[in-house]
Amino acid sequence: MEYDYRAIEKKWQGAWKADDIYKVENETFKPKCYVLDMFPYPSGAGLHVGHPLGYIASDIYARYKRLKGFNVLHPMGYDSFGLPAEQYALETGQHPAVTTQKNIDTFRQQLENIGFSFDWSREVRTSDPHYYKWTQWIFLQIFNSWYDHQQKKARPISELIDNFSSQGNGIGFGQKEIDNKFTAEAWNSFSEKEKQDILMRFRLAYSAYGEVNWCEALGTVLANDEVINGVSERGGHPVVKKKMRQWYMRITDYAERLLLGLEQVDFSEAMKEMQRNWIGRSEGAEIDFEIADHSKKLKVYTTRPDTIFGVDFMVLAPEHELVDHITSDHQRKAVEEYLDYVKSRSDRERMAEIKQITGCFTGAYAVNPFDGKKIPIWIAEYVLAGYGTGAIMAVPCGDQRDLLFAKHFDISITNIIGDHYDGNEANPTKEAVLSNSDFLTGVKMAGAIGVVNDKLEELGIGKRKVNYKMRDAGFSRQRYWGEPFPIFYKNGMAFPLDEADLPLELPHVENYKPGPDGQGPLANINDWVNLGEGVSRETNTMPGYAGSSWYFLRYADPDNSKEFASRQATDYWNQVDVYVGGTEHAVGHLLYSRMWTKVLYDLGYIGFDEPFKKLVNQGMIQGSSRFLYRSKKDNAFYSLNKLEIGETGEGFSDHYSKLHVDVSYVDGVTLDLNAFKKARAEYADATFHLEDGNYICAVEVEKMSKSKYNTVNPNELIEKYGADTFRMYEMFLGPIEQSKPWDTKGIEGVFRFLKKLWRLFFDENKGKIWTDEKASNAELKVLHRAIRKIGDDTERFSFNTGVSAFMVCVNELTELKCHKEEVLEPLLIMLSAYAPHIAEELYHQLGNTTSVIKASFPKADNQYLVETEKEYPVSINGKMRTTLTMPLNMTQGDVESQVLSNEIVKKWIEDKPVKKIIYVKGKMVNIVV
RNA sequence: GCCCGGAUGGCGGAAUUGGUAGACGCGUCAGACUCAAAAUCUGGUUACCGCAAGGUAGUGCAGGUUCGAUUCCUGUUCCGGGCACCA
């Protein structure tokens, strides 16, 4: 009987499905474990070998935990709203729901081939009205909340209204400061519109008129993390700043908690660092400077108040509100010209020409509060309106940008750090002792920061301030294929839809073209938008991250029609114990979902405020591309070492073109000429310049993609080797978190391992060869070592060494000719986490009638692991010399007598005095002479 | 520029706490079986010297701590990832 993986896998996949074996109940008597994959966007492209890597890892872990007695939630779903389906709809007129469904079907079929243990009865789709009803509902909860900075939590907006109407917006309540103060009487006399406008400044989901990242090609705005180097993340289209009314998530209010929460979760240090950088916390001070001959003050933000006597000029962002007010008549023309110039420049140009120094003097002067020095006020685009106060105090000797600016515009430079400044390069040190600094002269900078801060606060002209780089997240998209906002407008005010009217379903549209004035397609449907009597709907839709910010909660209770999930269900399943996915969501999805979780926690809907306890980032599987060189003169291909001009040589690209060749035509680096010639007629009669009879291709590691002809399809590998081999090989490639190029070569080794395992059970001639005889100690020792190693490795996500441990175990059993059921059955149970099909088949062959999936992970028994005697390596001065058999539980004295009686050691030591004998953790004896 | 990772045979990688570096797999070499091939099995495979036993060197590079360092410390080079006018 041969290892017929095709029949086995088909048989068991069918049986498992028929038995609903992966269906999981919200039980409470077993300990729970929640193992989650980042759900995919169902694109039409199909899977390549890189996609299932994380799914296989999480599946192994989920199966392992099940064997360990946990009630494991391991669901899968689809992030099915999004741009590609809509763009496809624009081109073909096909409804996005149709293409999405088709893609999901393909996706599901490919996943099932691999034998995952998902509980499909809990599948969620963000584009399903039963799901997005609750996305809309949560949006309304966020809309109806504000952030209390005293209690550091979200609270219902109604409590803020109560406070306003009883006490105004005085201090003492945790609302943040806004510039217009009002009393309770004033509040009560405000018009509805005035009240709503004020409340909008507190809501955690709010609409505001602001600069957004507008992408003309995509016809929509993008969140900050969706813009990379001034172009869109998706498609690489140019992005410009545009003023529009938009919805936002007030994620900045959660900046502090998002930062602190990182301490409690088990994410990689790199991931935490990325989030910290994105949040960008900095400690500093806001300082008010008087402006000569003006009543208004200039507020700047600095992290280095200690350098206040080194301030040689001020810089405002061109958009700063004071610019118009303070510009002198003499400078007005120059300033206006400069502002026109700034407006004409796109973000992209600004970034490309980052070194270019531009700016303009306003003609106004600020006054140093300590020594009364007059400081010229400039405007320049290197100061950003959106950060701090949009104005800085420039200290050329300590900040390189300020220095370059000062030199470019010939502003005199004050040196306050003595030798630390060399006149060429600014030095941002905190170690220097201050000079030219009035009362700070002679004080070390690091200490001076506190001194200045105290003085500023004492004089009431400044205060300590923490700033964050992170901005509020844009939440509107001018698209069709997303969640409609449950919002309508009346008299210019936004109102929430009644909960009973949810879900607000996407209406059908004739086409998917954008609406007028940069609005989304929904704006074209008059009937839907206009509700009569001046009431109209919001025509934007929510961004992709809306549905993905809470889906992990829905899996706990996916069919609930009364709540997004019952409190009982979310209390039971609680946090995701292990979340597996790529690093690309570091600052997007992971921050948004952390924020939503915190809001829901604050409002009392769930009992935890970090969604993911542990995060595992699987590395990217890169493609290994192969290239051919074709002469540009004639139809001739040159093998890598037959090129007449080397790749780096002059005129190379005039002589040759370098073409991607489909990796399926290449074995290693050798081109399969026959297959290649057959592929296209133009190749059939080409000439080939070979080396040693072969065509050798060039190799490069690139991203895996169809256009580079370097994709490898899992279905083909499964067809050739089976799903179990495929699963184990993907894990065997290397550490799960590491990126690595795909190489199919080694898969044979894993395939051989499974065939070898099979032969422990079946012999070609004799058939069944296992027996129920008692296993020898040697055999049990092999088994129990494997149990411990595989258990440990699986627990800590070290699946590559886990696979190796199986190989070692089977090799050793083969050597021992061990066919004992007593040993083989526990091995199969462990293997079922990695290679479920073959494990299930052999488990049944052994006579079991229940599924191996429901078995228990074996326990390692110490009596087979602990030896009473052990071979110790003995070294002299750290150099390995010999081994010595000694009892395991020996004391230091035993070591000495044993060691000294050893003939080989005696010879080595000769007459030298023994200074020390070191006995190390049962592993080694070292003699120091 | 700043912040994180990483560097180990021909290749992917292992070494869980400072304790026999190179597990496991690929590739390769030799052998067995076979008319032959495939499949399978056995053995070798870090380099150098040696028939062998064995010896010497060896985890990017230069130092240090230690009886002992892939592991800890200092400096340095290269590679990968992230951020990038954030005051």
Side-chain angles (χ1 to χ4, degrees):
Chain A
M1 198 166 154
E2 274 207 334
Y3 170 38
D4 182 357
Y5 58 84
R6 286 203 191 98
I8 292 170
E9 288 172 6
K10 202 174 156 212
K11 172 178 160 192
W12 289 112
Q13 282 174 12
W16 291 330
K17 203 170 180 177
D19 287 353
D20 272 336
I21 201 153
Y22 301 121
K23 197 163 161 45
V24 58
E25 304 298 331
N26 289 4
E27 298 170 66
T28 48
F29 56 87
K30 268 190 195 176
K32 71 94 192 186
C33 185
Y34 188 176
V35 183
L36 182 66
D37 292 288
M38 289 184 187
F39 66 167
Y41 175 80
S43 82
L47 295 183
H48 62 62
V49 289
H51 294 118
L53 185 76
Y55 302 153
I56 294 172
S58 64
D59 191 61
I60 290 173
Y61 191 74
R63 287 175 180 274
Y64 166 76
K65 281 292 185 184
R66 245 175 242 134
L67 295 171
K68 279 281 193 182
F70 288 83
N71 191 31
V72 178
L73 179 56
H74 186 47
M76 181 48 80
Y78 304 98
D79 189 11
S80 48
F81 270 136
L83 265 178
E86 181 162 346
Q87 275 176 326
Y88 190 72
L90 258 173
E91 288 159 22
T92 65
Q94 267 222 64
H95 196 279
V98 176
T99 36
T100 302
Q101 179 64 46
K102 213 172 83 197
N103 292 347
I104 286 178
D105 290 343
T106 317
F107 202 88
R108 171 77 180 264
Q109 184 267 324
Q110 279 192 294
L111 288 186
E112 293 210 328
N113 269 347
I114 306 173
F116 291 123
S117 63
F118 297 122
D119 177 359
W120 285 107
S121 73
R122 290 177 185 252
E123 181 194 299
V124 302
R125 298 179 189 190
T126 54
S127 60
D128 180 348
H130 295 106
Y131 179 87
Y132 69 68
K133 169 180 179 177
W134 298 108
T135 309
Q136 292 171 334
W137 182 86
I138 295 172
F139 172 80
L140 289 183
Q141 308 314 304
I142 302 174
F143 174 76
N144 282 322
S145 305
W146 62 288
Y147 194 81
D148 182 332
H149 283 267
Q150 231 162 48
Q151 295 183 18
K152 297 186 193 296
K153 60 178 270 202
R155 296 173 62 182
I157 197 89
S158 57
E159 295 177 16
L160 186 66
I161 297 171
D162 288 349
N163 186 259
F164 283 166
S165 57
S166 63
Q167 290 165 30
N169 70 343
I171 309 158
F173 207 52
Q175 80 269 31
K176 66 179 174 202
E177 262 180 65
I178 55 170
D179 13 301
N180 55 330
K181 294 266 194 289
F182 50 81
T183 61
E185 293 76 45
W187 169 263
N188 291 325
S189 66
F190 284 157
S191 70
E192 179 66 11
K193 175 91 168 75
E194 284 169 316
K195 285 179 180 170
Q196 287 301 334
D197 284 350
I198 290 169
L199 291 175
M200 198 57 105
R201 298 172 69 177
F202 290 90
R203 294 179 187 277
L204 286 177
Y206 65 98
S207 91
Y209 196 69
E211 282 212 328
V212 296
N213 304 304
W214 173 255
C215 180
E216 188 63 44
L218 296 175
T220 191
V221 301
L222 299 169
N224 289 331
D225 64 278
E226 292 169 317
V227 183
I228 314 260
N229 292 328
V231 298
S232 66
E233 184 186 26
R234 220 176 251 279
H237 305 293
V239 173
V240 296
K241 292 278 180 206
K242 193 172 173 178
K243 286 226 168 194
M244 286 177 92
R245 183 163 272 285
Q246 291 290 313
W247 285 93
Y248 293 91
M249 282 289 140
R250 207 181 295 279
I251 193 169
T252 48
D253 275 352
Y254 276 92
E256 191 188 343
R257 277 172 65 191
L258 288 170
L259 202 57
L260 286 172
L262 289 174
E263 309 288 324
Q264 309 161 20
V265 293
D266 183 7
F267 293 6
S268 72
E269 214 27 63
M271 173 64 58
K272 288 185 183 181
E273 207 49 41
M274 265 189 248
Q275 295 209 1
R276 286 190 198 114
N277 283 341
W278 185 260
I279 295 167
R281 181 181 199 272
S282 73
E283 276 177 35
E286 275 181 3
I287 306 175
D288 292 319
F289 285 82
E290 302 273 355
I291 304 171
D293 309 320
H294 286 273
S295 58
K296 289 204 173 167
K297 289 180 182 172
L298 173 60
K299 196 186 271 295
V300 303
Y301 176 71
T302 179
T303 53
R304 297 299 300 274
D306 54 313
T307 61
I308 190 152
F309 293 102
V311 177
D312 290 312
F313 56 101
M314 298 285 185
V315 188
L316 308 189
E319 302 87 348
H320 198 282
E321 52 174 16
L322 279 180
V323 172
D324 184 52
H325 183 73
I326 61 170
T327 299
S328 69
D329 295 340
H330 184 251
Q331 286 297 101
R332 188 157 299 274
K333 191 156 172 282
V335 165
E336 272 163 13
E337 275 169 17
Y338 184 67
L339 291 178
D340 283 343
Y341 160 79
V342 169
K343 255 194 200 149
S344 74
R345 273 156 61 84
S346 70
D347 252 28
R348 214 178 175 183
E349 283 170 317
R350 270 176 82 154
M351 290 201 196
E353 299 156 18
I354 213 155
K355 297 257 150 56
Q356 197 179 316
I357 298 163
T358 67
C360 183
F361 179 45
T362 61
Y365 291 86
V367 181
N368 186 314
F370 295 123
D371 64 3
K373 194 171 131 188
K374 280 177 84 181
I375 308 162
I377 303 174
W378 289 64
I379 58 173
E381 56 179 346
Y382 84 88
V383 172
L384 306 174
Y387 183 73
T389 60
I392 62 155
M393 54 180 229
V395 183
C397 70
D399 184 293
Q400 188 62 16
R401 292 159 301 179
D402 297 346
L403 179 73
L404 292 173
F405 193 89
K407 288 196 164 170
H408 188 262
F409 289 108
D410 215 12
I411 302 168
S412 73
I413 294 164
T414 311
N415 180 15
I416 51 167
I417 51 176
D419 294 346
H420 290 86
Y421 171 63
D422 63 4
N424 296 316
E425 234 166 85
N427 187 345
T429 180
K430 282 185 186 171
E431 301 308 309
V433 171
L434 286 158
S435 54
N436 292 330
S437 290
D438 201 285
F439 66 93
L440 291 173
T441 300
V443 180
K444 200 171 164 191
M445 297 179 99
I449 294 176
V451 174
V452 176
N453 282 340
D454 288 345
K455 195 137 191 163
L456 288 170
E457 285 175 355
E458 189 187 311
L459 297 172
I461 51 170
K463 60 169 200 261
R464 288 177 168 84
K465 178 84 202 271
V466 171
N467 263 335
Y468 298 94
K469 270 193 243 178
M470 186 168 63
R471 312 289 154 83
D472 282 340
F475 199 68
S476 299
R477 298 292 182 272
Q478 291 66 42
R479 311 301 311 185
Y480 171 73
W481 193 230
E483 300 88 348
F485 280 82
I487 291 286
F488 63 90
Y489 293 95
K490 195 175 169 184
N491 304 328
M493 292 175 277
F495 292 99
L497 225 55
D498 204 73
E499 260 183 46
D501 295 332
L502 298 182
L504 173 60
E505 289 199 39
L506 265 177
H508 276 275
V509 287
E510 289 307 312
N511 65 63
Y512 305 91
K513 294 201 174 68
D517 311 322
Q519 292 189 77
L522 291 179
N524 294 328
I525 322 170
N526 242 309
D527 295 355
W528 186 79
V529 175
N530 294 313
L531 301 170
E533 296 171 27
V535 180
S536 65
R537 289 192 197 280
E538 168 66 60
T539 59
N540 283 328
T541 54
M542 299 187 197
Y545 67 79
S548 62
S549 290
W550 71 281
Y551 74 108
F552 44 89
L553 297 170
R554 185 66 178 172
Y555 284 131
D557 194 7
D559 299 319
N560 198 325
S561 58
K562 304 230 159 41
E563 301 163 273
F564 66 90
S566 76
R567 181 65 194 260
Q568 197 192 2
T570 56
D571 276 354
Y572 176 62
W573 290 113
N574 213 271
Q575 288 170 290
V576 174
D577 291 278
V578 185
Y579 193 33
V580 180
T583 3
E584 66 272 19
H585 298 110
V587 293
H589 163 62
L590 281 167
L591 278 176
Y592 301 130
S593 49
R594 289 181 62 217
M595 174 196 167
W596 281 39
T597 302
K598 286 174 192 302
V599 177
L600 291 172
Y601 170 78
D602 289 350
L603 298 177
Y605 292 113
I606 53 174
F608 46 92
D609 90 326
E610 279 293 338
F612 314 117
K613 221 185 214 167
K614 179 184 168 76
L615 177 68
V616 173
N617 297 113
Q618 88 268 20
M620 235 201 336
I621 301 246
Q622 293 142 317
S624 185
S625 303
R626 298 292 183 274
F627 298 90
L628 304 180
Y629 292 99
R630 177 154 69 170
S631 164
K632 287 199 171 166
K633 283 183 235 115
D634 46 18
N635 192 15
F637 289 90
Y638 290 79
S639 185
L640 186 58
N641 299 304
K642 288 286 171 181
L643 294 170
E644 280 146 19
I645 304 164
E647 273 185 81
T648 49
E650 216 174 299
F652 178 81
S653 54
D654 295 337
H655 281 79
Y656 302 104
S657 40
K658 187 177 180 184
L659 310 167
H660 275 99
V661 59
D662 195 311
V663 287
S664 59
Y665 297 136
V666 183
D667 178 22
V669 291
T670 313
L671 182 67
D672 180 343
L673 273 174
N674 290 330
F676 180 68
K677 282 183 181 171
K678 266 187 227 152
R680 274 213 240 164
E682 57 170 315
Y683 300 148
D685 40 72
T687 13
F688 290 87
H689 297 263
L690 307 175
E691 45 189 301
D692 303 328
N694 291 318
Y695 188 98
I696 305 299
C697 304
V699 177
E700 253 175 60
V701 173
E702 302 177 289
K703 202 175 161 178
M704 196 172 270
S705 113
K706 284 226 163 109
S707 63
K708 298 188 169 89
Y709 298 103
N710 59 6
T711 58
V712 181
N713 186 329
N715 283 352
E716 282 167 28
L717 292 173
I718 289 170
E719 176 61 24
K720 206 165 163 199
Y721 301 101
D724 286 333
T725 300
F726 176 68
R727 290 167 58 105
M728 289 195 99
Y729 183 57
E730 286 242 346
M731 293 299 102
F732 187 66
L733 277 177
I736 189 78
E737 305 216 303
Q738 193 171 303
S739 288
K740 55 233 154 190
W742 176 262
D743 178 12
T744 303
K745 275 261 146 130
I747 198 168
E748 294 278 353
V750 175
F751 191 44
R752 264 173 224 154
F753 154 73
L754 287 178
K755 285 190 284 190
K756 204 166 181 177
L757 171 85
W758 188 263
R759 286 197 304 272
L760 284 175
F761 293 80
F762 292 101
D763 184 278
E764 246 180 286
N765 307 313
K766 287 184 264 177
K768 299 178 179 185
I769 48 172
W770 69 88
T771 70
D772 57 3
E773 284 165 46
K774 270 209 109 26
S776 69
N777 266 5
E779 291 163 348
L780 288 168
K781 198 171 140 185
V782 169
L783 172 71
H784 287 271
R785 265 214 313 261
I787 293 173
R788 190 164 60 181
K789 175 88 174 120
I790 292 164
D792 283 359
D793 286 348
T794 311
E795 192 72 63
R796 66 189 173 100
F797 269 73
S798 178
F799 302 119
N800 56 330
T801 54
V803 173
S804 295
F806 278 113
M807 290 175 171
V808 172
C809 179
V810 167
N811 284 345
E812 288 174 344
L813 292 179
T814 303
E815 211 162 295
L816 289 168
K817 299 198 185 346
C818 173
H819 309 294
K820 314 285 160 53
E821 225 178 296
E822 188 186 354
V823 172
L824 297 177
E825 191 172 301
L827 180 64
L828 290 178
I829 294 171
M830 293 193 285
L831 187 72
S832 75
Y834 287 74
H837 310 87
I838 188 174
E840 183 81 307
E841 172 67 20
L842 290 171
Y843 190 72
H844 276 74
Q845 290 285 350
L846 286 183
N848 293 290
T849 50
T850 56
S851 173
V852 70
I853 293 158
K854 307 214 158 164
S856 293
F857 200 85
K859 284 201 168 65
D861 188 337
N862 274 334
Q863 70 165 302
Y864 300 110
L865 296 172
V866 174
E867 294 138 270
T868 48
E869 279 198 336
K870 192 177 170 181
E871 288 245 300
Y872 284 85
V874 178
S875 69
I876 292 140
N877 288 345
K879 303 252 176 194
M880 236 296 290
R881 300 297 179 194
T882 182
T883 59
L884 186 61
T885 306
M886 295 191 291
L888 199 88
N889 306 323
M890 62 194 178
T891 65
Q892 208 74 16
D894 295 332
V895 180
E896 196 159 347
S897 55
Q898 290 262 1
V899 166
L900 294 179
S901 68
N902 181 290
E903 290 304 314
I904 304 169
V905 176
K906 261 190 200 160
K907 197 178 143 233
W908 276 107
I909 299 173
E910 287 169 349
D911 305 327
K912 299 180 205 93
V914 174
K915 286 187 189 144
K916 218 180 350 177
I917 292 185
I918 302 162
Y919 161 62
V920 190
K921 292 173 191 164
K923 283 182 184 168
M924 171 111 193
V925 175
N926 191 43
I927 301 166
V928 187
V929 293

